[in-house]
Amino acid sequence: MSVPPDDLIELVDAALSADYTRVRRIGSKLAKLLNTDNEEAARRLRTLIRQRGVPLRASGYAESLPVDSKSRLPLVEEQAWPTTPAFLDRSGKAVISGFLEDVRNVDLLTAKGIATRLGILLAGPPGTGKTLLAGHIAAQLGRPLYIVRLDSVISSLLGDTAKNVRSVFDFVPARDGVLFLDEIDAVAKLRDDQHELGELKRVVNTVIQGLDSLDDRAIVVAATNHPQLLDPAIWRRFPYKIELGLPDAAVREDLWRHFLMEDDAGSPLPPLLARISSGLSGADIQNIALSARRNAVFEGLPLDAGSVAWAAVETAAGRLSLSERGGLSSERKRSLSISMVRERGLSGADAARLLGVTRQAVSAWLKEDGHGEG
Ligand SMILES: Nc1ncnc2c1ncn2[C@@H]1O[C@H](COP(=O)(O)OP(=O)(O)OP(=O)(O)O)[C@@H](O)[C@H]1O
Ligand SMILES: [Mg+2]
């Protein structure tokens, strides 16, 4: 029997989402298909389905994650590996590959007495790919990624916070997972609200004790928007650090090419868009690009690069904008071409190409505006 590909995919999807009802339904369908040429296997499959007649979630799939004893909220969540690539600059790539190499060779390094903690800290502004990168690290290593829910870990009951931190630090390495402390500065930010300084110190200390209790092979990724808020004692426990700043021109080009042009290597637009989009995060570029592609689908028209350029320049100037439907008005094209040439250093010819107007039109606008080109 050959399993219909759609059933196979649905089966895997259902199993990974612990959707017992769907698993059973597809299982029964497969048992039927199997029946014609392998009765014995079909029988075994049916028995299996009957025997495992308890919902997967209730049978411990979700409940096996550690929870806070008061709120019953899970302290960690398993996060799926990412499906989109992460673009990094050269130094970021170098840190990641060094880190992965050390993880893969930890036995050798330990035997020689030169292993270091397998902790990596990702710092950078919102939307620069920290969470994404943590997923890629786990995927590269083929290990599950467990995100620590610091909001559930930090319990209203004092003693419980320490207990929670310990159960997280016991659970994840036992599962051979990557422990991901996302927004680790949340610990430091406690200072403002109801928590007093003494309690904050205790939380930081339990996190540090947790980190120190880990085996040499345990992999810890931490992410923060505010590295300066981080306790230096925590900081020191992460020998690998990546400063994920806003993407540089080369990375922006990669991002535009991927999210806007669907990796079309021949498109001339990404380098032009990269030049006018400094100040945007990867998440900004993704948002603008996907909105332009949605518009193109709804309008049944080709991608409107002018509208993308407009949204990029507006967003870079601090006004949140997405690519708009309906194309740019000629007044908007005029002001955009002037700002791209004068403020963002694009040539008149490139501005014309992005806006889909003639080179002469751009020259005329620049002339009207005063000082000609450049
Ligand atoms: N360098 C990048 N390469 C590829 N995609 C990126 C990059 N930066 C951002 N993105 C896109 O933006 C989305 C948001 O990024 P992500 O959630 O990882 O940011 P973050 O740094 O964790 O932000 P926050 O500090 O707000 O949590 C990603 O899912 C990805 O699609
Ligand atoms: Mg994040």
Side-chain angles (χ1 to χ4, degrees):
M1 179 199 80
S2 73
V3 178
D6 284 346
D7 286 339
L8 187 61
I9 290 165
E10 203 190 341
L11 181 64
V12 172
D13 180 49
L16 291 176
S17 23
D19 186 342
Y20 161 75
T21 317
R22 259 197 310 150
V23 171
R24 195 161 71 154
R25 183 167 50 70
I26 306 158
S28 310
K29 184 175 166 190
L30 294 179
K32 252 183 229 149
L33 288 173
L34 207 53
N35 212 14
T36 48
D37 51 22
N38 194 337
E39 243 172 88
E40 160 68 358
R43 197 188 49 74
R44 275 169 51 207
L45 185 53
R46 273 195 302 271
T47 315
L48 198 64
I49 295 165
R50 263 199 305 278
Q51 270 175 2
R52 306 287 144 111
V54 243
L56 288 176
R57 283 182 194 279
S59 75
Y61 173 82
E63 279 68 18
S64 68
L65 296 175
V67 296
D68 177 60
S69 57
K70 186 163 161 248
S71 67
R72 308 305 299 168
L73 291 171
L75 304 173
V76 294
E77 267 167 18
E78 188 176 347
Q79 189 187 269
W81 291 337
T83 50
T84 59
F87 300 103
L88 293 175
D89 61 18
R90 204 160 346 133
S91 70
K93 275 186 201 149
V95 176
I96 290 286
S97 59
F99 176 71
L100 293 174
E101 204 174 343
D102 286 3
V103 172
R104 290 183 179 123
N105 294 297
V106 64
D107 289 335
L108 174 70
L109 298 177
T110 307
K112 292 199 182 292
I114 48 173
T116 171
R117 283 168 187 270
L118 300 175
I120 183 164
L121 182 70
L122 313 173
T128 48
K130 299 181 293 297
T131 302
L132 177 70
L133 198 53
H136 275 284
I137 291 172
Q140 291 271 325
L141 296 169
R143 304 199 190 191
L145 179 71
Y146 292 105
I147 299 203
V148 180
R149 300 290 317 264
L150 280 171
D151 46 347
S152 327
V153 167
I154 296 162
S155 163
S156 51
L157 299 175
L158 237 159
D160 280 1
T161 302
K163 204 169 80 191
N164 288 344
V165 169
R166 264 193 312 270
S167 51
V168 166
F169 280 85
D170 287 343
F171 170 83
V172 175
R175 292 281 186 100
D176 214 10
V178 171
L179 178 68
F180 181 31
L181 299 158
D182 203 1
E183 295 170 24
I184 192 175
D185 43 274
V187 173
K189 277 202 235 110
L190 285 175
R191 210 183 298 251
D192 18 321
D193 34 272
Q194 71 271 51
H195 305 262
E196 13 104 10
L197 214 60
E199 185 182 351
L200 169 70
K201 275 230 170 71
R202 271 189 296 274
V203 173
V204 171
N205 281 337
T206 44
V207 171
I208 290 169
Q209 281 164 15
L211 290 168
D212 287 347
S213 72
L214 292 172
D215 185 86
D216 287 347
R217 285 146 216 277
I219 302 162
V220 188
V221 181
T224 175
N225 289 335
H226 305 284
Q228 72 287 356
L229 286 186
L230 218 58
D231 194 289
I234 292 188
W235 183 261
R236 266 193 294 112
R237 283 166 170 80
F238 291 89
Y240 303 83
K241 296 184 182 72
I242 298 187
E243 190 76 54
L244 281 168
L246 291 171
D248 63 20
V251 173
R252 291 197 301 274
E253 185 174 331
D254 290 338
L255 289 161
W256 286 119
R257 196 174 298 285
H258 177 72
F259 287 115
L260 188 68
M261 305 315 304
E262 299 173 77
D263 296 316
D264 170 7
S267 168
L269 296 179
L272 303 183
L273 290 169
R275 286 176 59 192
I276 61 166
S277 56
S278 86
L280 299 195
S281 70
D284 292 330
I285 291 178
Q286 179 186 23
N287 278 337
I288 294 172
L290 296 188
S291 123
R293 282 170 52 196
R294 280 194 297 272
N295 292 344
V297 166
F298 287 132
E299 293 173 326
L301 293 171
L303 207 71
D304 180 7
S307 171
V308 172
W310 179 77
V313 168
E314 286 292 291
T315 306
R319 293 181 290 272
L320 291 174
S321 304
L322 286 180
S323 155
E324 282 178 5
R325 238 166 267 181
L328 296 182
S329 66
S330 57
E331 172 49 32
R332 217 168 235 182
K333 284 185 184 166
R334 190 186 67 83
S335 67
L336 178 59
S337 65
I338 293 168
S339 72
M340 288 195 298
V341 172
R342 298 237 197 278
E343 285 150 32
R344 304 236 154 207
L346 219 59
S347 72
D350 285 340
R353 185 173 319 156
L354 267 179
L355 291 171
V357 298
T358 62
R359 172 82 182 76
Q360 288 75 12
V362 172
S363 302
W365 285 331
L366 290 168
K367 211 174 272 162
E368 272 164 40
D369 184 56
H371 333 273
E373 190 169 317

